[in-house]
Amino acid sequence: MKVLTDNFDIYVKGFLGTVQLTVYASLLALVLGFLMASFRVAPVGSFRVFGTVWVTVLRNTPLTLLFFAVLLGLPRFGVVLPFQVFAVLALGCYTSAFICEALRSGINTVPKGQGEAARSLGMSFAQTLGTVVLPQAFRSVIPPIGSTLIALAKNSAIAGAFSVNELLGTYKTLSELGYNIIWTFVWIAVGYLIITLSISALFNVLEKRYGVAR
């Protein structure tokens, strides 16, 4: 307990940094994931190509490499932002590819006849998707989206290697202060467990309320 009590402020700062990264990157991933899923089922060929390329590239690129590309590559093109913003961009864009595929799998579970019926009533593609298809698709993809966001929370640990304040990075400071590395990591693990269990609890509530009855 001494490691925690003596350095509680350091742990809290790292914990809040990870929570902030997780929340902002999750919001970005959900928005981009929804957009790319819409592109992938759009009737416009160029949109489908763009969505496919986005998902293919990001799903097959190591997250660490994406961090290097964003945090070290964008400044070379004159894009200068705080490292935390770069980390949110890297995490959010990477995770959006997985959110997109989860949503697309849910869209494919909705009978085609419902979309055709909506279009026969004069509804546009956007209206059909937003009013008819996505509300039904969302019910079936709550668990995989929850799992994806839990993975995002754990992936945020990579940001510590790029001077971003987050939970795993606290071990460097505590190691330099001479604290036992094992107990340092035990309390870091507890912090991640609190975050991931909170996300899991939130999505369990959503699944019970909105999920498809089995």
Side-chain angles (χ1 to χ4, degrees):
M1 286 292 294
K2 188 176 180 181
V3 176
L4 179 64
T5 55
D6 289 355
N7 305 280
F8 190 71
D9 57 332
I10 296 176
Y11 274 110
V12 169
K13 185 178 179 181
F15 178 83
L16 293 178
T18 294
V19 170
Q20 193 174 40
L21 269 178
T22 301
V23 170
Y24 290 154
S26 295
L27 292 174
L28 179 61
L30 288 170
V31 171
L32 289 177
F34 164 76
L35 184 62
M36 292 305 136
S38 301
F39 280 7
R40 295 211 66 186
V41 298
V44 181
S46 57
F47 283 1
R48 292 198 302 272
V49 170
F50 183 86
T52 301
V53 170
W54 178 277
V55 170
T56 302
V57 171
L58 290 177
R59 286 182 71 188
N60 294 284
T61 300
L63 181 55
T64 304
L65 180 59
L66 188 59
F67 264 89
F68 274 112
V70 172
L71 275 79
L72 303 180
L74 290 182
R76 293 178 177 270
F77 295 95
V79 181
V80 180
L81 297 169
F83 272 17
Q84 187 175 35
V85 177
F86 281 135
V88 168
L89 288 174
L91 277 171
C93 290
Y94 177 79
T95 308
S96 71
F98 298 91
I99 296 290
C100 168
E101 289 303 274
L103 282 172
R104 191 169 70 94
S105 67
I107 290 171
N108 288 336
T109 65
V110 179
K112 291 182 179 180
Q114 296 197 24
E116 293 171 354
R119 288 192 293 274
S120 69
L121 293 174
M123 298 177 69
S124 66
F125 170 75
Q127 290 174 326
T128 301
L129 192 65
T131 306
V132 178
V133 178
L134 279 179
Q136 297 181 71
F138 173 73
R139 298 177 62 198
S140 64
V141 299
I142 293 174
I145 288 179
S147 298
T148 302
L149 296 185
I150 287 173
L152 182 152
K154 294 183 288 186
N155 287 338
S156 67
I158 297 176
F162 297 89
S163 303
V164 176
N165 175 51
E166 53 80 43
L167 187 56
L168 184 61
T170 59
Y171 90 90
K172 299 175 185 176
T173 302
L174 299 182
S175 179
E176 291 171 357
L177 293 174
Y179 286 94
N180 186 298
I181 194 68
I182 295 177
W183 283 106
T184 297
F185 278 113
V186 165
W187 291 114
I188 288 174
V190 169
Y192 278 107
L193 193 61
I194 292 171
I195 294 171
T196 55
L197 287 178
S198 298
I199 297 172
S200 179
L202 172 62
F203 277 85
N204 282 337
V205 171
L206 291 174
E207 185 177 10
K208 288 179 181 177
R209 184 166 182 176
Y210 300 109
V212 177
R214 303 296 181 186

